[in-house]
Amino acid sequence: MKILVTDGMDRTALEQLKKDGHEVAEQFYPPEALGQALRGVDAVVVRSATKIRASHIDEAKGGQLRLIIRAGVGVDNIDVKYAENAGITVKNTPRASSNSVAELAMGHMFSCARFLSAAGHTMREGRWEKKAYGNGFELNGKTLGIIGFGRIGQSLGRMARGIGMEVIAQDIFHVPGIEEQMGMKYVELDSLFAQADLISLHTPSLNGVKLICKENIEKMKDGVVFINTSRGDNVNEADLLEALESGKIRAAGLDVYADEPSNNHALYSHPHVSCTPHVGASTKEAQQRIGAEILEIIRNFGK
């Protein structure tokens, strides 16, 4: 097949695709040029930077595009139904990056609890702010509320249980037997807001619905910590910033934003925000596993 890789992928997997006899091109296309580029390939592999919309699929019609692979979990950067209605198969790699994203969420939890981001920044400025950062808290014994209990949420839950946290979760689908297996329980969303000392968001894009908004923030405990490594458009950033300013939300750990690259300087530079630039799946191990899943998808395609 002719395969276009727009946002990069693991080099070992890419070289193996070539050894398997595929013609592989690596190039990022801006939105206005993407549709025409898709006409000349059988498959395209994208990460989060490339967004394949209905207009691109319309431009690709009549060409040879048969397969879109999202190298990652979420597929909200692809108009999946529209593509499938046009006879194009859409696949993702849901297993590969779960542990990496969960570890980053856990890292942000530690950062928020012990001021790692802010304290490190002030030290690099030559300041010794021991008193300012001397009122952190332990995660052990705290209640973690996980919204969206899929692979990533479950991985984070296991880590949290391992350091002595209580875990509650909200999800529209309840995994049979997992409450007994993990020593956690499912609760309704309002109950999670009321009980959790820390809240970690792991839902797909909710199509414009702001799950974290003023109304729901008011239901949370005073001084709650909020973590988001899922999708930035599920959060009303103005409401989050207001809650950080008032202290209703003690701290936030953010890897994703409403717009990326983020231009919300007031939010990501806030002293109580631990921030990273959407690097949840950006580990060597995750990219190797993603590459292996892509190889598996392409080798099995059409069988």
Side-chain angles (χ1 to χ4, degrees), residues 146-150 154 169-175 186-187 202-203:
I146 301 176
I147 303 175
F149 208 60
Q154 291 167 35
Q170 187 274 335
D171 200 298
I172 59 173
F173 176 74
H174 290 190
V175 180
Y186 286 107
V187 297
H202 297 283
T203 61

Side-chain angles (χ1 to χ4, degrees), residues 11-12 19 22 33 50 63 65 70-71 79 97 121 124 128-129 134 136 161 175 180 201 207 227 237 250 263 278 290:
R11 305 308 302 177
T12 300
K19 288 180 182 179
H22 302 293
T50 297
L65 182 65
R70 164 70 164 96
D79 281 348
S97 59
H121 178 73
R124 286 189 290 274
W128 187 261
E129 302 281 2
R161 289 284 294 163
V175 180
E180 294 78 14
L201 188 59
N207 298 318
I227 308 295
E237 291 187 342
R250 174 190 177 107
N263 56 11
H278 202 154
I290 286 171

Side-chain angles (χ1 to χ4, degrees), residues 117-195:
S117 178
H121 178 73
T122 54
M123 285 196 70
R124 286 189 290 274
E125 292 182 336
R127 293 150 54 197
W128 187 261
E129 302 281 2
K130 183 173 182 178
K131 289 185 179 179
Y133 302 124
N135 63 335
F137 66 92
E138 294 183 359
L139 297 180
N140 177 53
K142 301 300 186 295
T143 297
L144 171 63
I146 301 176
I147 303 175
F149 208 60
R151 290 181 177 89
I152 297 171
Q154 291 167 35
S155 183
L156 177 61
R158 292 186 181 94
M159 294 177 194
R161 289 284 294 163
I163 62 168
M165 300 185 79
E166 298 296 324
V167 176
I168 56 177
Q170 187 274 335
D171 200 298
I172 59 173
F173 176 74
H174 290 190
V175 180
I178 204 165
E179 290 179 283
E180 294 78 14
Q181 174 192 331
M182 288 186 58
M184 49 74 65
K185 62 179 180 179
Y186 286 107
V187 297
E188 296 300 320
L189 187 60
D190 283 357
S191 180
L192 184 146
F193 287 143
Q195 294 182 54

Side-chain angles (χ1 to χ4, degrees), residues 211-230:
L211 185 62
I212 305 303
C213 60
K214 187 170 185 176
E215 178 185 356
N216 285 336
I217 290 171
E218 288 175 352
K219 300 172 185 176
M220 300 176 188
K221 282 186 175 182
D222 291 343
V224 68
V225 170
F226 171 66
I227 308 295
N228 189 13
T229 56
S230 58

Side-chain angles (χ1 to χ4, degrees), residues 1-9 14 17 22-29 33-47 50 52 65 67-69 298:
M1 292 196 293
K2 288 186 177 181
I3 302 170
L4 173 63
V5 178
T6 64
D7 303 325
M9 65 178 285
L14 191 143
L17 284 175
H22 302 293
E23 182 182 330
V24 183
E26 292 182 90
Q27 185 173 344
F28 176 80
Y29 286 91
L34 181 60
Q36 283 299 313
L38 296 178
R39 288 181 60 86
V41 299
D42 299 288
V44 59
V45 180
V46 305
R47 291 174 68 180
T50 297
I52 300 179
L65 182 65
L67 175 64
I68 299 171
I69 302 174
I298 290 174

